[in-house]
Amino acid sequence: PRAARQRGNAWFWRPRVVRTRGSAAPMAASEQPAAAMKRRHKAQYVPGQQAKRPRGGGGPRQLELGMQGILITCNMNERKCVGEAYSLLNEYGDLLYGPEKFTAQDGTLSGSEEEEDDVEAALKKEVDQIRTSTEQKLRRFQSVESGANNVVFIRTLGVEPEKLVHHILKDLHTTKKKKTRVILRMLPISGTCKAFVEDMKKYSQTFFEPWFKAPNKGTFQIVYKARNNSHMSREEVIKELAGIVGSLNPENKVDLNNPQYTIVVEIIKNVCCLSVVKDYVLFRKYNLQEVVKSNKEELVQQNLLSASQEEKLKEIKLAEEDSKEVKPEDKSQGEEESKPNESDNQQAQ
């Protein structure tokens, strides 16, 4: 069809282009489908969607149930914190457990294996090779996503987290040698469960047995911290866990000043991390920055605190003395003012 359009006093006939939904322009019919396909192809990617991680090699990438490891807090630099953690843990891990060994495997069968007649034995050996190769990809220390800011979780394999962390803090406390800058606290995690009261009660009944079940006993305290979790009650968790410790042995007593054992409860989202540590007060709440401070620095801090307290006491005493001295001054001033009045009366008489 053609449509007439008026330009001034003249009429011009031009073909009318009827555009339907999804149709392309007549002149660029060959180009439009490709461009439309490109647009549709790009639209398939959802903004903010993370790319899939490659399969195999490394195990889980985030904090999960059944994990053991070390929970580390840092100061606004998680990448540097991970580097310092690897360096520190590998140093002391090699001292306690020996250097980590890796054997190179080609993944191919030798000539004698290829010529083996028994197919089942060959398949079994191949499965064993695959299994050992996957186990070798799981390192002794592997960083995983913790689920909270300024918190790093290092998953451990074949390592006792409590023993390793206690050894590190003991050495740092003895030598007073500072080896980290970003790491603040380093807490061993010996067990994980779901962050619900019923699950925690069920799990802790067997978890606490090595330390608190008769004939074992000791004084204890419970340290609780929750991150990115709002459905847990601190008072309820502490009450339930303390009741379980008491049920294992009535001689277990609470001591908030200097306990033998400290039950660490760290909740991140829906995962509860548990551990029982020693020397929590001696090692400054397992803070690597505080434990390396020398006795002189501690004395200086104590002296500064005592000096500030003494200054405050002096100020209070001076204020009290000033308030007491004001009253006799007022009386003397009143007497001096009254004397001239008496002399004036005598002169007048």
Side-chain angles (χ1 to χ4, degrees):
R2 295 193 299 175
R5 295 191 178 184
Q6 184 177 8
R7 184 179 297 175
N9 296 327
W11 290 83
F12 295 90
W13 294 91
R14 57 182 299 180
R16 179 182 295 175
V17 178
V18 179
R19 296 179 181 271
T20 60
R21 188 173 181 180
S23 62
M27 298 300 295
S30 61
E31 298 178 358
Q32 288 295 327
M37 289 175 65
K38 289 182 179 180
R39 286 196 298 271
R40 286 195 297 269
H41 183 67
K42 290 181 179 179
Q44 293 178 357
Y45 294 97
V46 179
Q49 184 178 4
Q50 296 181 354
K52 294 183 179 180
R53 297 182 182 273
R55 295 182 178 180
R61 296 291 183 177
Q62 60 184 358
L63 179 60
E64 296 178 355
L65 301 179
M67 278 189 177
Q68 288 187 346
I70 300 169
L71 190 143
I72 302 172
T73 60
C74 61
N75 190 7
M76 303 299 292
N77 197 337
E78 295 183 10
R79 181 174 295 181
K80 191 173 181 180
C81 176
V82 173
E84 288 185 354
Y86 280 149
S87 177
L88 191 67
L89 294 175
N90 286 323
E91 176 184 352
Y92 287 93
D94 293 344
L95 293 175
L96 288 178
Y97 303 99
E100 195 171 5
K101 296 180 181 180
F102 297 96
T103 57
Q105 291 187 359
D106 299 333
T108 58
L109 298 176
S110 62
S112 60
E113 291 174 345
E114 290 178 354
E115 295 175 357
E116 192 172 3
D117 296 334
D118 192 356
V119 179
E120 294 182 358
L123 289 174
K124 185 178 180 180
K125 288 185 178 180
E126 188 173 358
V127 170
D128 292 338
Q129 280 186 347
I130 296 172
R131 185 178 299 170
T132 53
S133 63
T134 54
E135 288 179 354
Q136 287 177 355
K137 293 178 182 178
L138 297 176
R139 301 292 302 272
R140 178 184 290 173
F141 304 107
Q142 180 63 49
S143 172
V144 299
E145 296 177 2
S146 65
N149 294 329
N150 299 326
V151 178
V152 174
F153 190 86
I154 305 296
R155 176 188 55 78
T156 59
L157 184 65
V159 173
E160 299 178 22
E162 296 168 3
K163 181 180 178 181
L164 177 61
V165 175
H166 189 274
H167 181 75
I168 294 172
L169 288 166
K170 184 178 180 180
D171 184 68
L172 296 179
H173 182 266
T174 304
T175 60
K176 302 297 181 182
K177 186 177 180 181
K178 188 175 181 180
K179 295 187 177 182
T180 61
R181 294 184 178 180
V182 180
I183 294 176
L184 298 179
R185 299 178 68 198
M186 182 175 285
L187 299 171
I189 302 300
S190 301
T192 55
C193 64
K194 292 183 179 179
F196 296 96
V197 177
E198 296 299 327
D199 296 285
M200 294 172 63
K201 289 170 60 178
K202 184 178 179 181
Y203 182 79
S204 60
Q205 286 178 355
T206 56
F207 181 77
F208 292 153
E209 288 182 356
W211 298 276
F212 302 109
K213 187 177 181 179
N216 298 327
K217 63 179 181 179
T219 58
F220 70 96
Q221 69 171 349
I222 300 176
V223 179
Y224 176 89
K225 178 68 176 178
R227 297 178 176 87
N228 298 336
N229 184 295
S230 59
H231 68 271
M232 298 293 294
S233 173
R234 178 179 181 274
E235 291 75 12
E236 183 180 3
V237 171
I238 293 176
K239 181 180 178 181
E240 296 293 340
L241 295 182
I244 292 172
V245 174
S247 64
L248 292 174
N249 190 345
E251 296 184 4
N252 295 321
K253 303 298 181 181
V254 177
D255 185 359
L256 302 180
N257 296 323
N258 190 15
Q260 294 177 350
Y261 302 104
T262 297
I263 300 173
V264 178
V265 182
E266 291 281 342
I267 295 177
I268 302 178
K269 291 185 176 180
N270 293 327
V271 179
C272 175
C273 303
L274 291 172
S275 64
V276 180
V277 299
K278 297 180 179 179
D279 300 323
Y280 188 76
V281 177
L282 177 64
F283 293 155
R284 305 295 181 181
K285 299 180 180 180
Y286 278 42
N287 191 318
L288 271 64
Q289 303 299 324
E290 297 293 331
V291 78
V292 296
K293 289 184 177 180
S294 62
N295 296 328
K296 292 182 180 180
E297 293 177 352
E298 293 177 357
L299 291 174
V300 168
Q301 290 182 353
Q302 292 177 1
N303 292 331
L304 290 174
L305 291 174
S306 61
S308 62
Q309 291 176 357
E310 289 179 358
E311 290 179 358
K312 289 181 180 179
L313 291 173
K314 288 181 181 178
E315 291 177 357
I316 294 171
K317 289 181 180 179
L318 290 173
E320 291 178 353
E321 291 176 357
D322 293 339
S323 63
K324 291 179 180 178
E325 292 176 356
V326 168
K327 294 181 180 179
E329 288 179 357
D330 294 340
K331 290 181 180 178
S332 62
Q333 289 178 0
E335 292 176 355
E336 291 176 357
E337 290 176 357
S338 62
K339 288 180 180 179
N341 292 332
E342 292 176 357
S343 61
D344 293 341
N345 291 332
Q346 292 176 358
Q347 292 176 1
Q349 291 177 357

